Amino acid sequence: MDDVLTTGPFHTVLRSAIAARGLGLERLRDRLAARGLSISISTLSNWQRGVSRPRRPDSLHAVAVLEAVLDLPGGTLGRLLDEPVRGGRSARPPGAEGAPLWQALRLRALFDEPADDGLDVLAVQEDVTVTRFGSTATVRLVVRARRPDVDRHVVLTHGSGALPEIRAGRDCRLGRVRTDPEAALVAAELLWAPLGPGESFALEYHLAADRPELYHGRWCRRVGQHLDLTVRFAPGAGVDQAYRVWRLDGTSPHKDVTRLRVIDGRVHLADYDVPPGFHGIRWNP
């Protein structure tokens, strides 16, 4: 089994791990369902036979949970998805900006939460200060529950080569924190009093990074969010040009949407009902 884990390919490792745990596909499907994931037996069968590979974000999240269910070291299956398919191309193109999607999904899976947390993020307001040495940010979220007893939300941030810090702000407290130093990822659980269906809530948290960055933004996973982003540049960290950027997914490069004017050392963008994807600001020093 140790040899298989290091040599792959993905479907061979998956099939071997399932056999080593003595699980049939039906039992494996049930264990995934207990964690809020609906994966059919036919899909699992295709994955372990090499007929198809996980590609969509929800499937990659399932792979991260599979590692936990099958008692595999974190990233065992996810890393193999970066390798090319025989006679084809890789599941995710190389050179994508930021951390690979499978690493982010694996980190979220460590919280053992359902795939659907029952929460909608309605609005995000970020106020970022950039210096020559790093950055700090205050993030305010407005959320709304879709089911009873929603009392937490997992936030994730990616640093520029170093682990950023997440701290709870007003009206919430910090729960579990998980990190992936190799990918410079930090995920943290923010906790509050339980909400009922349809109830909304506002909370805030703080970010700090001790490495300079040349862009800042966030992922919007669902339609209908309001985004308000301000980036302030401290003396000595001024910029020449700034642009609003967007990308659809973790494999796409940033695209400049429009140039933004730097006014008194700060740049601002606000938008309602933003489409899914990464929205942010990049700048040239």
Side-chain angles (χ1 to χ4, degrees):
M1 185 64 185
D2 290 340
D3 291 338
V4 172
L5 290 179
T6 57
T7 60
F10 171 83
H11 67 276
T12 300
V13 174
L14 177 60
R15 184 173 63 248
S16 300
I18 293 172
R21 301 297 172 261
L23 293 174
L25 293 184
E26 186 172 349
R27 288 179 61 195
L28 185 59
R29 178 203 60 188
D30 293 343
R31 292 196 180 189
L32 292 173
R35 298 186 178 219
L37 297 172
S38 178
I39 305 294
S40 68
I41 291 177
S42 61
T43 295
L44 292 171
S45 176
N46 287 339
W47 288 355
Q48 73 164 357
R49 290 186 296 122
V51 175
S52 63
R53 273 187 170 191
R55 293 180 182 270
R56 301 190 313 272
D58 55 345
S59 297
L60 294 174
H61 175 70
V63 169
V65 177
L66 272 171
E67 292 174 347
V69 170
L70 298 173
D71 198 24
L72 292 172
T76 298
L77 295 171
R79 289 187 181 95
L80 295 171
L81 288 174
D82 285 325
E83 297 179 355
V85 182
R86 182 176 299 178
R89 59 193 180 103
S90 63
R92 287 186 301 279
E97 297 177 21
L101 180 59
W102 67 263
Q103 289 178 294
L105 294 173
R106 179 174 62 84
L107 199 60
R108 285 186 179 275
L110 295 178
F111 291 89
D112 197 25
E113 296 289 335
D116 180 3
D117 62 3
L119 198 70
D120 289 328
V121 178
L122 303 180
V124 181
Q125 182 185 52
E126 289 201 52
D127 199 313
V128 184
T129 298
V130 177
T131 72
R132 291 179 298 167
F133 310 105
S135 63
T136 59
T138 296
V139 184
R140 298 180 179 89
L141 302 179
V142 178
V143 299
R144 183 171 59 203
R146 285 184 280 104
R147 57 175 173 79
D149 300 323
V150 176
D151 62 356
R152 67 196 61 213
H153 179 56
V154 174
V155 296
L156 188 145
T157 187
H158 174 250
S160 299
L163 282 176
E165 178 189 9
I166 300 178
R167 295 183 294 107
R170 290 182 298 179
D171 300 323
C172 66
R173 65 186 189 278
L174 193 65
R176 296 171 290 177
V177 178
R178 301 290 183 264
T179 65
D180 185 338
E182 178 185 349
L185 284 169
V186 178
E189 195 176 45
L190 302 176
L191 309 172
W192 57 81
L195 301 175
E199 291 184 332
S200 59
F201 182 66
L203 65 145
E204 73 174 27
Y205 65 96
H206 305 286
L207 301 173
D210 59 3
R211 294 279 185 91
E213 59 181 5
L214 294 177
Y215 70 91
H216 189 93
R218 69 181 300 111
W219 288 98
C220 297
R221 301 295 181 187
R222 299 186 177 95
V223 298
Q225 289 187 18
H226 168 48
L227 176 64
D228 186 323
L229 173 59
T230 300
V231 179
R232 307 174 189 272
F233 298 96
V239 299
D240 179 42
Q241 296 176 333
Y243 300 86
R244 177 175 179 172
V245 296
W246 174 83
R247 58 174 165 151
L248 176 63
D249 52 39
T251 66
S252 306
H254 285 160
K255 296 181 179 179
D256 291 342
V257 177
T258 186
R259 184 170 176 175
L260 300 173
R261 195 158 69 95
V262 182
I263 304 174
D264 294 333
R266 65 182 182 273
V267 182
H268 178 257
L269 76 82
D271 202 351
Y272 292 86
D273 197 15
V274 296
F278 179 88
H279 298 265
I281 297 173
R282 76 166 182 90
W283 52 90
N284 297 329

